[in-house]
Amino acid sequence: MTEIVRADGRATDQLRPVTIERGWSAHAEGSALVSFGGTRVLCTASFTNGVPRWLTGKGKGWVTAEYAMLPRATNSRNDRESVKGRVGGRTHEISRLIGRALRAVVDTKALGENTLVIDCDVLQADGGTRTAAITGAYVALADAIEWGREKKFIGQRSQPLIDSVSAVSVGIIDGTPMLDLAYVEDVRAETDMNIVVTGRGLFVEVQGTAEGAPFDKRELDALLELGVAGCANLRDIQTAVLA
């Protein structure tokens, strides 16, 4: 599998250069600037003591996320959705995906009646913006939880985080499964998939689509194997950043 060399020189099972700059924002309770190659996403986590009205008195916290792309994150300028007067379907979908991914590794009872809102803003897009957002959002979330503990909103012995979570894209190009697709690869992939995996290797979500010919179980298994291995590498990067 590793004999094929891609346009950027990577092997088929190799991530793009990944960096996570922890504590990027001076104001947010948790933050991380994450880069997957040319894709850069700023993730900020805001901590509020209290929960939405529908959760009040239930002894549980809440974690949610919002995703957005800056107007010039891509080759041509896109109007801000606030100017358009409506949030697009893709933005809603990715926001919900990030929220689900984070809630999968949070014990809301241990979090207490506190709310964490994670904002993921794409500064520059080159494929895999949602997977980079999830990976960086976890680091921002972890720091915001520790901020809440320091301020005594969360019990000193409580463990709201039960695992880590990261995500990566995979796809089939010219019949070959590949990991972490850049934009030039993503647009020509015959099959495109986003995989969200916990630190223990459990799946949170698998989003896969055949853009051309349908894919078979053998190809699906190969993509899942690539994605799990890629997320294990991302988990190690997250762990090192948070150490």
Side-chain angles (χ1 to χ4, degrees):
M1 181 181 292
T2 56
E3 293 178 0
I4 297 173
V5 178
R6 297 152 79 173
D8 58 5
R10 284 185 292 148
T12 56
D13 59 353
Q14 187 177 1
L15 293 168
R16 289 176 285 177
V18 176
T19 61
I20 303 175
E21 187 177 343
R22 182 184 178 194
W24 194 88
S25 171
H27 303 295
E29 285 73 47
S31 65
L33 178 65
V34 58
S35 299
F36 279 29
T39 289
R40 292 181 177 84
V41 185
L42 174 59
C43 306
T44 56
S46 300
F47 189 107
T48 302
N49 181 221
V51 290
R53 288 173 59 186
W54 55 273
L55 267 179
T56 301
K58 295 184 178 179
K60 295 181 179 181
W62 181 241
V63 177
T64 189
E66 294 185 14
Y67 167 97
M69 191 176 289
L70 294 188
R72 202 54 207 272
T74 54
N75 288 332
S76 58
R77 186 183 187 279
N78 294 305
D79 289 337
R80 296 180 192 273
E81 292 182 331
S82 58
V83 174
K84 293 179 181 178
R86 63 180 180 84
V87 176
R90 178 179 181 274
T91 299
H92 272 306
E93 177 218 339
I94 297 176
S95 296
R96 289 194 293 264
L97 170 64
I98 298 168
R100 286 194 302 272
L102 297 175
R103 289 192 295 273
V105 296
V106 172
D107 179 346
T108 55
K109 286 188 177 179
L111 182 61
E113 292 201 5
N114 298 295
T115 299
L116 284 152
V117 179
I118 291 78
D119 290 289
C120 298
D121 293 292
V122 179
L123 310 182
Q124 183 171 285
D126 185 23
T129 60
R130 72 186 69 193
T131 56
I134 291 168
T135 304
Y138 169 76
V139 173
L141 173 71
D143 275 344
I145 286 174
E146 288 310 307
W147 181 92
R149 194 190 309 278
E150 291 173 7
K151 299 298 181 181
K152 301 190 180 344
F153 294 128
I154 297 174
Q156 295 303 300
R157 295 186 179 181
S158 294
Q159 296 297 329
L161 280 179
I162 57 178
D163 206 345
S164 63
V165 66
S166 60
V168 74
S169 65
V170 290
I172 298 174
I173 300 171
D174 297 330
T176 302
M178 296 186 182
L179 176 69
D180 190 18
L181 306 185
Y183 179 75
V184 293
E185 297 170 327
D186 186 44
V187 294
R188 52 186 292 261
E190 294 115 52
T191 297
D192 184 21
M193 193 172 291
N194 296 300
I195 298 176
V196 185
V197 180
T198 68
R200 291 181 293 159
L202 302 178
F203 294 103
V204 176
E205 192 143 347
V206 177
Q207 300 179 332
T209 304
E211 302 290 348
F215 54 92
D216 59 26
K217 185 177 183 299
R218 177 186 56 83
E219 291 170 317
L220 173 61
D221 290 343
L223 290 175
L224 292 176
E225 185 177 336
L226 272 179
V228 170
C231 285
N233 289 334
L234 293 170
R235 173 202 62 204
D236 293 343
I237 294 170
Q238 290 170 322
T239 300
V241 168
L242 287 167

